[in-house]
Amino acid sequence: MDKVRTDAQKQAEAAYDGFILWSKRTTYASIAFLFIVAICNFGVEDNTYPGYNGEQYSPTGLSVKK
């Protein structure tokens, strides 16, 4: 019974160490990705994106209560 318990403990510790390792790798990769995207200004170049046209969306012809 004691051998089963020690084997289970070793397996649990190995699984936990693997989980922590991959959690750290995923976190570091996510931070690196976000940092690289932020350096590239999130895809925005020369203040042309998004191409917002205010006249296209202006609310004309609406009655406004005063």
Side-chain angles (χ1 to χ4, degrees), residues 15-31:
Y16 179 75
D17 290 340
F19 173 77
I20 295 297
L21 176 68
W22 281 102
S23 296
K24 286 181 182 181
R25 287 180 180 174
T26 303
T27 302
Y28 294 150
S30 299
I31 291 171

Side-chain angles (χ1 to χ4, degrees), residues 5-61:
R5 186 173 289 166
T6 58
D7 288 343
Q9 182 68 28
K10 287 179 184 178
Q11 183 181 7
E13 289 174 359
Y16 179 75
D17 290 340
F19 173 77
I20 295 297
L21 176 68
W22 281 102
S23 296
K24 286 181 182 181
R25 287 180 180 174
T26 303
T27 302
Y28 294 150
S30 299
I31 291 171
F33 173 75
L34 290 175
F35 184 71
I36 291 169
V37 170
I39 287 174
C40 297
N41 202 15
F42 292 99
V44 179
E45 296 179 9
D46 301 329
N47 295 324
T48 59
Y49 183 82
Y52 177 74
N53 183 2
E55 290 184 14
Q56 182 179 0
Y57 300 107
S58 63
T60 58

